[in-house]
Amino acid sequence: MNRRKFLKGSALLSGLLTLNPGDFFASNVQGAPDPKKKAKNIIFMISDGMSSGTLAMANLYSQNILGKNGNWMNLYHDNRVSRALMDTASASSIVTDSAAASSSFGGGFRVKNGVLNVGANGEKYIPVWQKFKKAGKKTGCVTTVTITHATPAGFCINSDSRNAENEIAEMYAEIGFDVMMGGGDEFFNPLKRKDKKDVYDLYKQKGYQILKNKNDLKNTEKGKKILGVFNSGALPYSIDRTHIPELQTTPSLAEMAQTAIDQMKDHKEGFVLQLEGGKVDWAAHANDIAALIHDQLAFDEAVKTAVDFAEKDGNTMVIITTDHGNANPGTIYGAEATKNFDSIASYRYTNEYILNAIHPDFNLQQMKDWIYETNKISLADDEAQHLLSFYSGLEKQEAGLYNYKKLPFKAYSDIQKKHNSVGWISMDHSGDYVEVAVFGPGKELLPAFIKNTDLHYLMLKAAQI
């Protein structure tokens, strides 16, 4: 054997194996032929943290409990979209966070986890909504988490840290996006900011109308920019909004989407709009099946809102995807799997709400009664005692992203698993390939396998920017 050739070949192979899988297979969207028809408008939809199991279970629930197929699945069933798998890696890991993922879409380059459109050497990649704004289009973002969160921010601004939400709130106003709606009152309200700055006033000075509740959506002034902030922190989970009257002043994703579309649809140069189901990701982090399914279904209602408009309009591209998987939930084989899964229809609240309502002074029977009332699950004594032990300090309190109160999410989802046949691999993001669907003009630009960055260039090519 020629040792020099062998070593040279080994070195080459070693170098290849350090690349992300998508680097081998991704198609070059930039080199594709121009679209058959130019997209005047683009609606980019992200169900944040949606593993393929989440999509499947939400559709199964819709079929079994609601008696209908989901809107996203109907697009596949009727062959109305182009469909692809997407590699979601970041520059620093095969498993991305939402900041790097959104930056891939927004800036067209992979960046390290935690930053927004800033390269390893400080390069600032121009966010895609700024490119479209410069081209004369109206621009907007709508989310069920804070409007300053990583996913909307990745389409809009550059920042060394996704956590700089106070600064991001001010950046939006300076740039002048047309419609921004979600949660995050603490980043705008002078009574909640440490620096006491009145960021709402900054927006008012720039001519924005400020929306604070669902009723305000009905009274928007056409042609005037919108800042809608409907809650401190994220918006409520969909299933809790349904069953808790005081939460019903906050709008759904579909309701916000409709207002955003109506506000921008008559602009002669068109518009671009990002719609994010952000709490799908939070539900996956919590292994909270009721929260997960119902927020995915709420996202699916927004899919209908977007596609109905696009179908009627004829000039709108709709991209439907996720930024990464999370927790990889799925149904588990067993004789009672269908019956167990269908029992989720009896869940009236999120695990977050249920576990928050438990107090250290609960006795065993109170614990069992509360779980039966909210989930129709009859706890065994040892299960009830195990849950109580977290509140009396006997068990180590659980950590986890978006689990500030150290609630026993995993312990409870493990109990639920015995009754609903749903399992989870973790409480964090995963690096699996994810779904992409494209409807409308330019859908033929989507190859069967892409990198996340390719969607940046697909949007630009579709709109001929």
Side-chain angles (χ1 to χ4, degrees):
M1 176 181 286
N2 185 317
R3 184 170 178 272
R4 183 172 296 174
K5 285 184 178 179
F6 174 78
L7 291 173
K8 183 178 179 181
S10 298
L12 177 61
L13 180 60
S14 175
L16 287 174
L17 291 176
T18 63
L19 297 174
N20 288 316
D23 294 329
F24 290 106
F25 304 116
S27 301
N28 187 351
V29 173
Q30 293 167 280
D34 288 342
K36 297 173 185 176
K37 181 180 180 180
K38 179 179 175 181
K40 179 181 178 183
N41 311 310
I42 295 174
I43 302 174
F44 195 114
M45 303 192 65
I46 301 170
S47 178
D48 198 297
M50 187 202 76
S51 296
S52 59
T54 300
L55 181 62
M57 288 192 298
N59 197 64
L60 182 62
Y61 186 96
S62 187
Q63 291 173 331
N64 288 10
I65 307 304
L66 306 179
K68 61 180 182 178
N69 213 33
N71 298 302
W72 187 341
M73 286 298 102
N74 273 334
L75 293 172
Y76 288 169
H77 184 268
D78 298 337
N79 198 28
R80 299 172 68 199
V81 291
S82 296
R83 181 185 180 192
L85 281 178
M86 178 171 67
D87 174 72
T88 61
S90 72
S92 56
S93 177
I94 58 172
V95 183
T96 190
D97 80 331
S98 290
S102 186
S103 296
S104 293
F105 304 143
F109 292 87
R110 284 183 167 171
V111 299
K112 292 181 178 180
N113 290 345
V115 304
L116 294 160
N117 297 308
V118 178
N121 299 309
E123 306 93 334
K124 291 190 175 181
Y125 305 118
I126 300 172
V128 69
W129 267 202
Q130 291 191 33
K131 292 180 180 181
F132 281 119
K133 182 176 173 58
K134 185 177 180 181
K137 295 187 184 296
K138 289 199 171 184
T139 52
C141 292
V142 171
T143 182
T144 57
V145 294
T146 58
I147 188 57
T148 48
H149 215 255
T151 300
F155 277 54
C156 297
I157 58 95
N158 305 87
S159 178
D160 291 322
S161 174
R162 61 176 289 174
N163 297 321
E165 293 189 70
N166 279 327
E167 292 77 12
I168 291 169
E170 297 178 54
M171 289 181 197
Y172 290 165
E174 292 300 326
I175 297 167
F177 300 108
D178 295 279
V179 176
M180 305 298 277
M181 289 193 282
D185 179 65
E186 64 271 34
F187 305 116
F188 299 86
N189 191 330
L191 301 177
K192 297 177 182 178
R193 286 178 58 116
K194 287 184 178 179
D195 61 8
K196 306 302 180 186
K197 186 177 290 187
D198 189 343
V199 180
Y200 284 125
D201 189 60
L202 175 62
Y203 279 81
K204 289 175 184 175
Q205 289 176 26
K206 291 182 175 293
Y208 282 78
Q209 51 191 318
I210 310 298
L211 313 184
K212 301 297 287 183
N213 57 58
K214 184 167 71 171
N215 286 335
D216 289 345
L217 295 178
K218 303 171 186 175
N219 302 307
T220 57
E221 185 179 337
K222 290 291 188 290
K224 192 174 181 181
K225 292 179 180 180
I226 288 176
L227 173 67
V229 181
F230 304 106
N231 208 34
S232 285
L235 272 59
Y237 284 109
S238 294
I239 188 172
D240 287 342
R241 184 193 295 109
T242 298
H243 293 109
I244 303 172
E246 57 264 35
L247 300 181
Q248 291 167 10
T249 59
T250 57
S252 69
L253 182 61
E255 289 167 336
M256 292 188 290
Q258 188 64 64
T259 296
I261 291 168
D262 289 344
Q263 193 70 13
M264 299 190 291
K265 67 182 181 182
D266 297 325
H267 185 57
K268 65 177 182 178
E269 299 298 330
F271 70 86
V272 290
L273 173 64
Q274 183 206 87
L275 300 174
E276 184 202 14
K279 294 201 76 173
V280 172
D281 181 64
W282 292 30
H285 278 299
N287 287 187
D288 189 335
I289 190 61
L292 186 82
I293 285 178
H294 287 275
D295 263 62
Q296 182 63 33
L297 291 174
F299 178 83
D300 199 61
E301 285 303 306
V303 168
K304 185 178 189 306
T305 299
V307 172
D308 282 355
F309 167 76
E311 188 171 38
K312 183 178 178 181
D313 172 70
N315 298 300
T316 300
M317 168 186 272
V318 181
I319 300 170
I320 312 166
T321 189
T322 180
D323 50 352
H324 53 74
N326 190 344
N328 286 50
T331 48
I332 302 167
Y333 179 81
E336 299 294 324
T338 303
K339 178 182 176 183
N340 290 349
F341 179 81
D342 289 351
S343 74
I344 296 168
S346 298
Y347 295 8
R348 297 184 61 223
Y349 305 105
T350 61
N351 293 353
E352 180 178 277
Y353 180 82
I354 293 167
L355 297 175
N356 259 317
I358 297 169
H359 301 291
D361 59 355
F362 266 37
N363 61 38
L364 205 63
Q365 192 58 50
Q366 286 174 310
M367 173 65 83
K368 294 171 74 171
D369 289 346
W370 176 238
I371 297 302
Y372 187 80
E373 178 186 339
T374 55
N375 274 179
K376 291 294 184 288
I377 291 174
S378 298
L379 292 182
D381 285 355
D382 62 334
E383 291 174 327
Q385 190 59 58
H386 180 55
L387 281 181
L388 279 173
S389 69
F390 286 89
Y391 295 86
S392 59
L394 298 177
E395 289 284 352
K396 182 180 178 182
Q397 298 300 295
E398 289 187 8
L401 199 59
Y402 311 124
N403 186 13
Y404 311 121
K405 296 182 179 180
K406 312 299 184 187
L407 298 172
F409 285 128
K410 186 177 187 305
Y412 189 50
S413 71
D414 285 344
I415 291 171
Q416 287 178 316
K417 179 170 67 173
K418 303 172 189 176
H419 301 271
N420 61 28
S421 295
V422 173
W424 313 75
I425 67 161
S426 74
M427 301 182 82
D428 218 331
H429 295 183
S430 55
D432 39 315
Y433 298 151
V434 300
E435 291 279 342
V436 183
V438 178
F439 177 90
K443 71 176 185 179
E444 71 278 4
L445 296 173
L446 184 71
F449 188 90
I450 60 170
K451 288 169 63 176
N452 44 14
T453 49
D454 287 332
L455 289 182
H456 176 94
Y457 303 102
L458 184 146
M459 286 188 282
L460 295 174
K461 181 169 282 288
Q464 293 293 281
I465 299 298

